[in-house]
Amino acid sequence: PSQTPEILLIRQTRPDVAGRLAERFRLHRIEEAPDREALLDAVGPRIRALAVGAMCPVDATLFDRLPRLEIVASFGVGYDTIDVTEAARRGIVVTHTPDVLSDEVADLALGLLLATLRRIPQADRYLRAGRWREGSFPLTTSLRERRVGILGLGRIGRAIARRLEGFGVAIAYHGRTPQGDVPYAYHDSLLGLARAVDTLIVAAPGGPGTTGIVDAGVLAALGADGIVVNIARGSVIDEAALIAALQSGTILGAGLDVFENEPQVPQALIDLDQTVLLPHVGSGSHHTRAAMGRLLTDNLFSWFDGGGPVTPVPETPWKGRR
Ligand code: 8YV
């Protein structure tokens, strides 16, 4: 067997990532294989690392085909599509790309919040349609005097909160544990937070613990001026309940960068005038995607240099084995 570690790329198409990895490793690309099963049969037993792209499913069925797998390096901070419990059970380390995208996603969250409140895309469409000559664009709701709740005060939630401080609004949050080092009001239940605010920004990780937690009751508690912004995972919001709440006027509007079944977006959300919808672009700048790519490759280089992973997920801490 060759000494060069062999890496399987799944949904990982960035040329800079593949280029840097190819300097040191032997790469196999699953999407380029005419027959995925045949590729797994042929090279699966030699694969020591996976480099995976956005929202890539990685589970026991795949691990079964990769008996020498040591590490999964994922592109993105969220890893709800990776079975980290199973990885931990098998001694496989999973890495992600935290921190390098927090400011970018937080910037986008504020942009989406303002776009939703002040109807910036709708105003742009109004101008382009030549309607300004007919009269002024209708007045909108405002960020002024709003109380903003953040669901999930992790790295990205904190970056959002820091930006909101500059806007002079009241900030509260809900998460599993109160954070000692922030001046924002903590609510020990999501429903309690929703009752206390009129604007909810979702920044919680996806996965089984958060599926559908923004439900009909939470939405109703925001009230008729309620605005929901989601830059996290579509699964955190009960999308059918959100559509119903928007259609009935239970809440006022929603700004969404993520959806339950991407890239499918329910026609009902598209048909609504009070939604701003983005195609999962939170981290999508040249600057930040390049930084994410560097961190992914740094993890693999460090691992095969014997230095351990740079940014392992907490579920698969490195214990200095290998
Ligand atoms: C995706 C994201 O990884 O980091 C995350 O959790 O959702 C995004 O940054 C991105 O879409 C990858 O292409």
Side-chain angles (χ1 to χ4, degrees):
S2 89
Q3 292 301 100
T4 307
E6 299 192 36
I7 295 189
L8 183 62
L9 271 53
I10 310 179
R11 293 198 197 177
Q12 180 51 68
T13 52
R14 288 187 61 90
D16 54 347
V17 168
R20 188 168 175 223
L21 292 177
E23 289 169 13
R24 163 94 191 259
F25 306 108
R26 185 162 166 216
L27 307 188
H28 304 276
R29 291 180 178 77
I30 207 154
E31 279 84 13
E32 283 178 12
D35 181 347
R36 182 190 158 111
E37 294 305 311
L39 177 80
L40 287 173
D41 283 342
V43 306
R46 301 199 306 265
I47 295 297
R48 294 173 63 193
L50 284 180
V52 303
M55 328 259 295
C56 182
V58 177
D59 58 14
T61 316
L62 181 61
F63 292 148
D64 283 345
R65 310 293 297 274
L66 310 171
R68 288 186 69 201
L69 187 65
E70 299 166 23
I71 182 167
V72 179
S74 180
F75 187 80
V77 66
Y79 50 91
D80 48 315
T81 60
I82 301 177
D83 188 343
V84 288
T85 310
E86 185 59 25
R89 204 180 66 73
R90 295 178 187 231
I92 298 165
V93 167
V94 177
T95 71
H96 63 149
T97 63
D99 301 314
V100 293
L101 47 61
S102 300
D103 284 330
E104 199 75 76
V105 177
D107 289 350
L108 194 281
L110 266 294
L112 187 51
L113 173 66
L114 292 170
T116 307
L117 291 165
R118 301 300 315 280
R119 297 172 55 82
I120 295 172
Q122 294 91 331
D124 176 277
R125 293 198 288 269
Y126 184 90
L127 180 151
R128 286 169 198 269
R131 297 179 58 196
W132 192 3
R133 288 185 291 271
E134 298 161 18
S136 303
F137 186 71
L139 303 185
T140 67
T141 187
S142 172
L143 183 58
R144 300 301 96 220
E145 297 183 351
R146 277 190 178 263
R147 292 156 299 156
V148 181
I150 300 175
L151 171 55
L153 203 69
R155 300 178 183 88
I156 295 173
R158 282 168 180 254
I160 292 170
R162 279 198 299 275
R163 283 158 176 71
L164 283 169
E165 285 184 32
F167 287 86
V169 292
I171 303 167
Y173 71 102
H174 167 70
R176 278 165 304 183
T177 44
Q179 316 278 307
D181 56 345
V182 294
Y184 323 124
Y186 177 69
H187 292 264
D188 62 10
S189 79
L190 175 54
L191 193 58
L193 175 68
R195 288 195 180 114
V197 303
D198 48 32
T199 308
L200 183 67
I201 302 182
V202 179
T210 58
T211 303
I213 59 173
V214 178
D215 59 14
V218 168
L219 295 167
L222 292 174
D225 282 327
I227 294 283
V228 175
V229 169
N230 188 5
I231 50 77
R233 284 293 180 266
S235 59
V236 182
I237 301 183
D238 178 340
E239 208 165 69
L242 176 64
I243 291 167
L246 289 163
Q247 286 172 338
S248 61
T250 303
I251 65 167
L252 185 61
L256 308 171
D257 187 43
V258 289
F259 302 87
E260 254 177 29
N261 187 24
E262 297 172 12
Q264 311 303 328
V265 177
Q267 189 61 38
L269 284 175
I270 294 172
D271 289 343
L272 284 159
D273 172 58
Q274 67 273 40
T275 54
V276 177
L277 309 173
L278 301 179
H280 200 146
V281 294
S283 67
S285 68
H286 292 298
H287 169 94
T288 293
R289 289 287 170 83
M292 291 162 66
R294 275 193 304 275
L295 185 50
L296 182 152
T297 53
D298 284 350
N299 269 286
L300 292 172
F301 275 74
S302 174
W303 178 260
F304 286 102
D305 284 343
V310 183
T311 47
V313 302
E315 292 85 347
T316 67
W318 190 50
K319 302 190 187 90
R321 57 177 175 265
R322 268 204 80 213

